[in-house]
């Protein structure tokens, strides 16, 4: 029925500034929507490796929802008011933002460690009305590309990246979550290797 598959990894890829991060932010909103509006009523975890996570953008996306969707979310989340009531909409925005757990990874080791931290968040919210349904890594390759430079480091980079992907695959499968990774690609990788 469309959407992103749970218990699997989906990759968004493209050149710099092609809209990957905007798409991941929209997913963090959409995962929280009721099923009748295309969501699954769950929360999101966002591992940010390139300073791309913008809570203010998520707030804009929530405010931009159709009035019918806003009204249904307000009713579901116990917000008194209507989509015309700015205070009620602001309360709903804060609820949505509270269901997106953002963490910044400063290097590849921290990025890999944050998958373990994500598992702690899953356990914390497992038996609630809003368990974790989405894990975003934006971007998957940035730190690995920066830390393992040159052909001599390709084997080490691939080994660590494979371990990271294995951890993400296990996370998706174990917690029945959608894992979405963003990956910046280049038209000509020779600029790194000469």
């Amino acid at each position: 029925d469309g959407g992103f598959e749970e218990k699997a990894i989906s990759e968004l890829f493209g050149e710099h500034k092609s809209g990957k991060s905007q798409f991941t932010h929209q997913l963090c909103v959409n995962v929280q929507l009721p099923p009748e509006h295309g969501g699954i009523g769950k929360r999101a975890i966002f591992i940010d490796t390139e300073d791309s996570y913008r809570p203010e953008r998520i707030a804009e996306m929530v405010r931009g929802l159709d009035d019918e969707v806003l009204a249904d979310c307000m009713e579901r989340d116990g917000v008194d008011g209507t989509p015309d009531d700015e205070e009620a909409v602001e309360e709903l925005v804060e609820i949505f933002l509270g269901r997106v757990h953002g963490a910044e990874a400063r290097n590849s080791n921290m990025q890999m460690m944050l998958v373990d931290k994500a598992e702690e968040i899953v356990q914390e919210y497992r038996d609630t009305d809003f368990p974790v349904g989405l894990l975003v890594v934006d971007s998957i390759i940035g730190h690995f590309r920066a830390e393992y430079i040159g052909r001599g480091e390709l084997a080490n980079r691939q080994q660590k990246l494979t371990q990271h992907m294995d951890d993400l695959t296990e996370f998706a499968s174990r917690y029945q979550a959608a894992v979405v990774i963003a990956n910046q690609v280049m038209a000509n990788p020779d600029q790194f290797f000469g």
Side-chain angles (χ1 to χ4, degrees):
D1 296 326
F4 285 83
E5 186 177 355
E6 295 175 324
K7 300 194 294 185
I9 297 176
S10 299
E11 180 183 29
L12 306 174
F13 63 91
E15 293 183 11
H16 183 62
K17 299 288 185 192
S18 63
K20 300 176 301 293
S21 294
Q22 292 299 311
F23 202 95
T24 59
H25 283 65
Q26 189 67 60
L27 288 175
C28 290
V29 172
N30 290 3
V31 71
Q32 299 183 53
L33 298 177
E36 60 270 18
H37 295 296
I40 57 173
K42 294 186 178 181
R43 65 183 61 238
I45 299 171
F46 196 108
I47 298 175
D48 179 8
T49 71
E50 295 184 337
D51 195 29
S52 61
Y53 179 62
R54 299 283 181 263
E56 64 274 11
R57 186 65 185 120
I58 290 184
E60 291 171 354
M61 290 174 174
V62 173
R63 286 187 190 96
L65 293 170
D66 290 340
D67 284 351
E68 178 185 350
V69 178
L70 284 172
D72 288 351
C73 289
M74 287 176 174
E75 182 179 339
R76 176 197 67 189
D77 294 336
V79 175
D80 291 329
T82 66
D84 300 338
D85 178 356
E86 184 53 41
E87 286 183 27
V89 171
E90 190 58 36
E91 183 180 345
L92 184 66
V93 165
E94 292 303 316
I95 291 170
F96 267 72
L97 286 171
R99 292 189 194 125
V100 180
H101 305 269
E104 183 180 353
R106 290 179 169 66
N107 57 51
S108 62
N109 287 329
M110 188 175 185
Q111 179 177 333
M112 294 173 71
M113 184 268 312
L114 284 173
V115 177
D116 294 332
K117 180 65 177 167
E119 291 186 19
E120 293 175 22
I121 295 170
V122 168
Q123 296 303 328
E124 181 179 349
Y125 292 99
R126 175 174 243 158
D127 297 322
T128 68
D129 290 341
F130 280 84
V132 172
L134 172 67
L135 173 63
V136 171
V137 182
D138 187 6
S139 110
I140 190 77
I141 195 71
H143 287 311
F144 293 95
R145 185 180 285 147
E147 294 169 22
Y148 298 92
I149 300 171
R151 291 187 190 271
E153 290 293 320
L154 272 179
N156 291 335
R157 180 173 86 178
Q158 289 308 108
Q159 185 176 28
K160 289 210 49 168
L161 191 55
T162 297
Q163 178 60 52
H164 189 37
M165 292 299 292
D166 288 346
D167 292 345
L168 291 170
T169 301
E170 184 176 336
F171 180 95
S173 178
R174 178 182 294 164
Y175 302 115
Q176 299 179 19
V179 173
V180 176
I181 60 173
N183 188 9
Q184 184 177 324
V185 296
M186 300 178 178
N188 185 359
D190 285 346
Q191 62 185 324
F192 279 105
F193 305 120

